[in-house]
Amino acid sequence: MTSPSHVPRRTAVAAALALGLGLAGCGQEAEGGSRYRPKGTGSTVGIAMPTKSSERWLADGRHMAREFAARGYRTDLQYGDDRVENQVAQVENMVAKGHRLLVVAAIDGSALTDVLSRAKESGAAVISYDRLVLGTPDVDYYASFDNARVGRLQGRYIADKLRLDAREGERFTIELFAGSPDDNNTTYFWNGALSVLRPYLDRGRLVVRSGQTALNQATTLRWDGGTAQKRMDDLLSKHYGATRLDAVLSPYDGISIGVISALKSVGYGTAGRPYPVVTGQDAELASVKSILAGQQTQTVYKDTRKLARQAVLMGDAVLHGRKPRVNDAKTYHNGARVVPAYLLDPVSVDRRNVRILVEEGYLKAADLGGAL
Ligand code: GAL
């Protein structure tokens, strides 16, 4: 394995010395609260993020750059504009520049095998960020949220909001949306949500009038809101003439916004025809406003500051020849190896607890237009 955390201790110590560190820094915990506050090794960290079109990735990049800088590292932050070839070229470039650590949120989880094998040859460590890089042994650690739990929160929200357990005998309509087929998270979100919804679908309590209940019928390439809007337009016109749609499983706020536009264009969003239950993820500003305006119903809050900090702690530990703390060593098999992971907890947010976003400083009350 490539990461200094996997080399024998003697080698790790030699590596640490070569990096100009005292022995005092070795073998101690990297996580907050440790006695030793590691200084940057002078290395540059390559950070490859998927796109600037979603505010969460902007925040992820900003937070990581800030946290790495605070620990004495330089950073090389790149966005791939959701184009796989851009990201591959950016990571190639980072390897060519000799960066010692790469933190990558993949656009296409399976497209980085070659470039990461070159990263390994050059001795760089690789942290998979939020999305697991697939099909390669050359990824050392994974920092993410509990992605199956994200899906379960969305599914449970729909079941509770429709009061499926209380209203025995009633049937409700639902349509299902999933994320990008090339993002490993998509399957976790989907399986998590369906683990809750499947029993209701099987008993006919939830009815998918389009019949599109397979993951490959529900995916949304690159998580694109416009693509989701078109699919929703189509589903509404073909299957919901006079029939009300009661719920939409949406895995991500950008998709929810597209879904809601389609619903609005056929007359949902009035007192007589309220919006269906629409889930989401990321607590993006536009969606939180939409929740406050009574359009989107729910989102899943994943504090990107915490995720960024976790990735930085992991990276800093690796660069100092220590083993980062992980809390899951079995769930995330990427097709080549089980990648040791640190998973954070997602939080379901709707109108009732939306204040948490302001209280925790994730969004500013002023940005919500005083709607709180
Ligand atoms: C996923 C991520 C979600 C959401 C989505 C679209 O990989 O886990 O939180 O951001 O991408 O960007």
Side-chain angles (χ1 to χ4, degrees):
M1 288 182 206
T2 48
S3 129
S5 64
H6 293 114
V7 294
R9 183 177 159 77
R10 214 151 25 103
T11 321
V13 170
L17 284 171
L19 291 165
L21 296 168
L23 279 174
C26 297
Q28 296 191 14
E29 284 263 271
E31 265 66 31
S34 72
R35 280 172 293 138
Y36 175 64
R37 253 265 181 277
K39 291 195 198 70
T41 55
S43 331
T44 300
V45 178
I47 305 174
M49 294 287 108
T51 174
K52 287 185 176 170
S53 71
S54 156
E55 83 201 26
R56 70 147 297 176
W57 299 114
L58 291 170
D60 286 320
R62 198 170 56 238
H63 295 318
M64 263 190 283
R66 192 182 302 146
E67 294 257 348
F68 272 121
R71 287 170 180 263
Y73 297 96
R74 285 186 296 272
T75 51
D76 178 3
L77 172 61
Q78 304 285 340
Y79 285 84
D81 203 17
D82 257 345
R83 297 169 72 93
V84 180
E85 63 277 20
N86 286 0
Q87 186 167 64
V88 171
Q90 286 168 346
V91 177
E92 251 160 21
N93 217 358
M94 290 172 183
V95 175
K97 286 192 261 182
H99 299 342
R100 310 311 302 146
L101 173 71
L102 308 178
V103 181
V104 183
I107 295 169
D108 177 336
S110 307
L112 297 167
T113 311
D114 291 349
V115 67
L116 292 189
S117 108
R118 283 199 287 286
K120 178 175 185 168
E121 277 161 26
S122 82
V126 177
I127 294 178
S128 207
Y129 186 86
D130 191 276
R131 303 170 170 178
L132 187 61
V133 176
L134 300 176
T136 167
D138 303 325
V139 48
D140 299 290
Y141 292 99
Y142 181 38
S144 191
F145 284 82
D146 182 336
N147 293 302
R149 184 164 153 74
V150 170
R152 288 199 301 276
L153 290 175
Q154 291 162 341
R156 180 45 46 205
Y157 190 86
I158 290 174
D160 288 349
K161 197 70 184 172
L162 295 177
R163 299 180 47 242
L164 290 178
D165 294 332
R167 295 155 80 179
E168 201 48 61
E170 282 184 68
R171 295 154 82 90
F172 299 89
T173 54
I174 186 170
E175 290 296 332
L176 310 172
F177 283 72
S180 196
D182 48 10
D183 183 339
N184 185 57
N185 288 351
T186 290
T187 313
Y188 281 81
F189 299 151
W190 176 264
N191 287 344
L194 269 290
S195 72
V196 178
L197 298 177
R198 183 73 65 199
Y200 300 106
L201 291 165
D202 289 348
R203 280 185 275 132
R205 301 289 317 288
L206 287 174
V207 179
V208 180
R209 284 177 65 92
S210 69
Q212 297 179 12
T213 55
L215 174 57
N216 66 1
Q217 296 173 303
T219 50
T220 315
L221 188 63
R222 299 285 128 71
W223 304 88
D224 181 59
T227 304
Q229 181 172 347
K230 280 199 203 89
R231 177 164 175 254
M232 189 78 250
D233 281 338
D234 196 51
L235 295 177
L236 287 167
S237 73
K238 289 201 181 122
H239 306 285
Y240 292 90
T243 310
R244 177 175 165 74
L245 177 59
D246 298 309
V248 179
L249 172 70
S250 164
Y252 159 60
D253 286 350
I255 289 178
S256 319
I257 297 282
V259 162
I260 288 166
S261 299
L263 290 162
K264 192 171 185 179
S265 68
V266 297
Y268 283 88
T270 61
R273 208 175 177 207
Y275 285 109
V277 178
V278 180
T279 59
Q281 174 175 200
D282 282 355
E284 295 209 318
L285 184 60
S287 281
V288 175
K289 285 182 170 170
S290 174
I291 289 174
L292 290 168
Q295 301 173 338
Q296 189 171 323
T297 329
Q298 179 257 15
T299 187
V300 176
Y301 165 40
K302 303 194 303 189
D303 190 335
T304 50
R305 297 167 301 183
K306 289 189 184 156
L307 183 59
R309 197 167 309 132
Q310 197 52 49
V312 171
L313 287 172
M314 279 181 154
D316 189 51
V318 167
L319 286 169
H320 282 84
R322 294 191 303 273
K323 253 189 166 56
R325 183 184 295 167
V326 296
N327 62 8
D328 184 303
K330 62 176 197 313
T331 307
Y332 285 95
H333 198 297
N334 78 343
R337 64 176 298 228
V338 176
V339 184
Y342 196 100
L343 305 179
L344 295 157
D345 256 340
V347 178
S348 179
V349 165
D350 71 357
R351 254 187 115 90
R352 289 167 305 176
N353 65 340
V354 67
R355 278 189 164 277
I356 187 180
L357 299 170
V358 171
E359 283 163 6
E360 295 197 355
Y362 197 70
L363 296 178
K364 293 195 188 69
D367 293 338
L368 297 173
L372 269 184

